[in-house]
Structure formats: C-alpha cells, structure tokens
Amino acid sequence: MTGCIFLVVGCSGSGAVSPLSPTKASQADSSTTSDSDVVYWSSFPVTFSMTDALNGVCLVSKKNGWACGDNGAVLHYDGDTWTKIDTGLAKNENFMAVAFANETEGWIVGSHGAILHYTNGTWNQDQSPTQELLYSLVVTQAKTVWAVGANGTLLTYNGISWGKIGALSSSAGATVIDDIYSIGMSSQNDGWAVGNRGLILRYDGQKWQTYAASPSTEKLNSVSVINDVQAWIVGAYGTILRYNGTAWNKMSSAFSGFDLYQVFMKSDDDGWASGQDGTLIYYDGSRWISHQKPEGKPSLNSLCFYKDLGFIVGQNGTILKFQPNGEMAKISFLFKGTVAKNPTKSNPFWTLTYTLMNQSPKASPLVTYELPIPKGFEPFQPTP
C-alpha cells in the first residue's frame, strides 16, 4: 500500500487486514501509551452506519477524496462529509486501493482482479487481464497507471487497456511469483514495489527487477517514495526500512509487537505510519514517535494527505482526520480514599487508605498533589 507522492499525481492505498494477517494478533498490547502529549488524529463523524473494513484512501484536493473497502464499499469526500457511493459494480469484491490522476479520472482495484475506472463523474469496470487479488496502485504524471497483486501480479495501464508484465528476479532471471503488496513511483522512469518475504522491486524505466540486497525477510506491506533518492518501507513486526539513494537500510524500531500496514512520507523528516490494533507512529526527522491509539484500537489500513489535510481509514469503517495543530492529550485520574481501620479504645487512631489511578490510555510523566487532612481526622493529641 502506498500513499500520495509529490512527483506523482494521485494517491493510493492498500488493505492489509485480509491478505496480511497480523503476525502477533494474540500478543498482549503493551503500547497503549504514546510518546507525545499532543493528539493529532481524531475520529471523523459520519451520518451512515458501516461495519466493513476500509482499505484504501486518496485525497485529490481538499474538497475531493475517495475511499474504498470490503464488499464493494466506495466513499466520497466533498470537503465537508464522507458519503457512501453506490457504483453498482463488483459489489461482492473487496476493494483494496484507490488512486486518482486528477479530479476527473481515477481507479479502484481489488479482489479477483477487479478494476473500477472513474471518468467524468461515472464509474465503469475495466477489463482486467488477471483474476488475482490486486493490493495497490499508483498513477504517474504521464497518467501511466501501475497495479500490483498476488503471485507476482504486475499490471500497467497505457491509457486504453490494461496489460500484464512480469517482474524479473535478479539472481536467476526468473519471474517473481511472491505477492506484491505496494507500489510507489517517484517519476515515470523510477519506482519501487514491495512484497512478501522481504521482496523489493526496482523500476528503471524499462523493467521491474528484484533488489538483491534487501535487508529484511519479513512481509513488506507499504512503500512511500519521496523522490529518486529517498523512500521508506514498513512491514511485519514493526519493520522499518529507509532508502538513502544508494541502499536500503533497516531502522531500529520500538514497534516490533505490531505489523505496520502503511507508511506515508510528506518529506524525509515528516511522515506517518499506521497498522495493527490502532498502531500509529510519527517521524519527526530523527525518530519514530508513537501516537495515542484510537478508541477500540481498530486496525488502521491506509492513510493519505493533501497538504495539511489527512485521513486514515481502517477496520469497521474507521475514519480518522488529521488535526494540523493537534490538541493536548486528556488525562483522567481517579482519587479515592477509604477507611481501612476504625479507631478503638485501645488504639484511638483512624487508618486511611488513598488510591490514585490513571484512567486514561496515556501515561503521565509527573503527578504532584497535596492532600489536606479532612475535618474530624486531625492528629490525635492525648491529654497528659
């Protein structure tokens, strides 16, 4: 799954819930707290009920966005609200990604090779050269469209029809058969795609070929390409890779307990990644910082930005909106006092027990308080 790209028109998103099963789904969640005191993402209210997963999201402008999901779900954003759209097409398919070239043309891809094509306000279904599940797509400035999917599926759209090509293995010259989960392009002649078992593919303008020196063997779920010499990849077990123009390197990660489903880099020092059980992290140029998880901890499958407007979509129809300035995280404490022991003739003293409990999901680094002695509980002063 991939996000908006600065040198490429359009956005794309890809789901990771069905094809990319969580690697540690039964593990206890120990990351309920965040490193930041500011909450940047909050639930976006909608007027409709939705339980299907949303797997892809794209923003064409601040007043035009699209999202797609399971069971043929398609949503449209008009600058104020998200609305369900009945395309009447492929209603039983799970849509995994959406990408737009401009306001009037875009695509959605999904299960069984389904490809929906939007032109001038109307959705139609393109003839697909595959029955494989398609996970991700991207549109270049020249309006060349690429889509990737299961079993090494790699499709391209030339403006008239879709064609299937093969990615080559650099070691033996064979065709790649691993699942490809995400694709990103920095220009018409330069791009990356990633997939299962640490698969990384490079496009040089003529052919797709494996990058032999992949530093990971994990599922690589998403690539975000900033330019020809800057790109990021995230994947299973909190895997984070960074491209420096010469090689891909594995970054240290504090999020190994959770799969990361998508990364979106606005620049090399400003980006977000989302994933399993509400995992949401931010890159500030020097480190990845955990963000407070949304209520219910739904899987967050796709995210996208248009300038300072951002949306995340995920499990059970979850939609989160980015707040540019954020708001301070709220912390709720419970302070309770109980009488543990009443005074007696032989021991004329009160014994009190006080409990201080943080009831919010965020940890507080410092708490100070003063406890005045209640009236009637003053220290006992025996008469000589």
Side-chain angles (χ1 to χ4, degrees):
M1 54 190 124
T2 178
C4 296
I5 302 169
F6 285 97
L7 298 181
V8 177
V9 181
C11 327
S12 67
S14 178
V17 177
S18 298
L20 310 178
S21 56
T23 52
K24 293 189 176 181
S26 61
Q27 176 173 304
D29 184 355
S30 60
S31 61
T32 56
T33 61
S34 64
D35 297 328
S36 174
D37 290 328
V38 181
V39 176
Y40 289 100
W41 295 92
S42 58
S43 179
F44 187 83
V46 294
T47 58
F48 53 86
S49 175
M50 187 166 191
T51 58
D52 290 315
L54 293 173
N55 301 319
V57 63
C58 171
L59 286 170
V60 188
S61 68
K62 284 196 172 184
K63 294 185 177 181
N64 191 357
W66 294 89
C68 62
D70 290 353
N71 294 311
V74 176
L75 306 182
H76 180 247
Y77 179 69
D78 62 4
D80 295 313
T81 61
W82 284 95
T83 306
K84 274 186 177 181
I85 302 297
D86 185 5
T87 66
L89 304 169
K91 291 186 176 182
N92 295 323
E93 304 297 348
N94 293 334
F95 295 144
M96 305 305 295
V98 55
F100 268 67
N102 49 46
E103 298 274 349
T104 61
E105 187 171 27
W107 292 262
I108 288 175
V109 297
S111 57
H112 299 102
I115 303 174
L116 269 57
H117 189 179
Y118 178 87
T119 51
N120 298 314
T122 303
W123 285 98
N124 294 289
Q125 191 161 357
D126 282 354
Q127 184 174 353
S128 177
T130 184
Q131 286 291 308
E132 299 288 356
L133 173 58
L134 299 175
Y135 296 126
S136 177
L137 78 162
V138 69
V139 187
T140 69
Q141 284 183 325
K143 290 189 179 181
T144 299
V145 189
W146 294 94
V148 295
N151 299 314
T153 299
L154 184 56
L155 309 180
T156 184
Y157 181 75
N158 59 11
I160 300 174
S161 62
W162 288 89
K164 187 175 182 180
I165 63 175
L168 302 177
S169 171
S170 58
S171 59
T175 303
V176 172
I177 59 173
D178 283 309
D179 290 354
I180 307 173
Y181 298 131
S182 178
I183 184 170
M185 305 290 291
S186 62
S187 68
Q188 181 71 7
N189 299 312
D190 186 85
W192 296 93
V194 299
N196 201 23
R197 300 190 299 177
L199 175 67
I200 300 177
L201 300 172
R202 181 70 185 267
Y203 184 66
D204 61 5
Q206 296 183 346
K207 64 182 181 299
W208 287 91
Q209 194 167 11
T210 56
Y211 175 80
S214 175
S216 176
T217 58
E218 304 295 349
K219 289 180 181 178
L220 302 180
N221 298 333
S222 173
V223 58
S224 180
V225 182
I226 303 170
N227 51 45
D228 291 355
V229 296
Q230 295 175 310
W232 291 79
I233 293 171
V234 298
Y237 299 102
T239 297
I240 300 175
L241 310 180
R242 183 178 186 180
Y243 183 67
N244 60 11
T246 304
W248 284 96
N249 297 292
K250 193 170 186 177
M251 310 298 291
S252 60
S253 174
F255 314 100
S256 60
F258 301 91
D259 290 358
L260 297 174
Y261 294 152
Q262 182 161 25
V263 59
F264 182 96
M265 301 300 297
K266 299 173 70 175
S267 66
D268 203 43
D269 59 0
D270 182 11
W272 291 87
S274 62
Q276 180 186 349
D277 295 342
T279 300
L280 187 54
I281 59 177
Y282 171 72
Y283 186 70
D284 67 355
S286 61
R287 66 186 181 118
W288 286 92
I289 304 167
S290 63
H291 184 276
Q292 183 171 310
K293 294 185 176 185
E295 185 177 355
K297 301 175 189 174
S299 291
L300 303 177
N301 300 331
S302 183
L303 66 100
C304 192
F305 278 88
Y306 181 85
K307 298 182 180 179
D308 62 349
L309 175 64
F311 282 101
I312 294 176
V313 298
Q315 185 180 5
N316 299 323
T318 296
I319 301 178
L320 305 178
K321 185 180 180 182
F322 180 73
Q323 304 174 86
N325 298 318
E327 63 181 17
M328 294 299 295
K330 296 178 181 178
I331 299 178
S332 175
F333 287 101
L334 171 67
F335 185 76
K336 184 178 181 181
T338 58
V339 177
K341 190 175 181 181
N342 292 324
T344 64
K345 187 174 182 179
S346 60
N347 186 28
F349 301 99
W350 291 90
T351 303
L352 305 179
T353 300
Y354 289 94
T355 301
L356 181 64
M357 180 182 298
N358 181 7
Q359 294 184 304
S360 67
K362 178 176 174 54
S364 175
L366 178 64
V367 176
T368 61
Y369 65 92
E370 295 182 358
L371 177 63
I373 298 175
K375 186 177 181 180
F377 289 92
E378 291 84 0
F380 177 67
Q381 297 289 337
T383 301

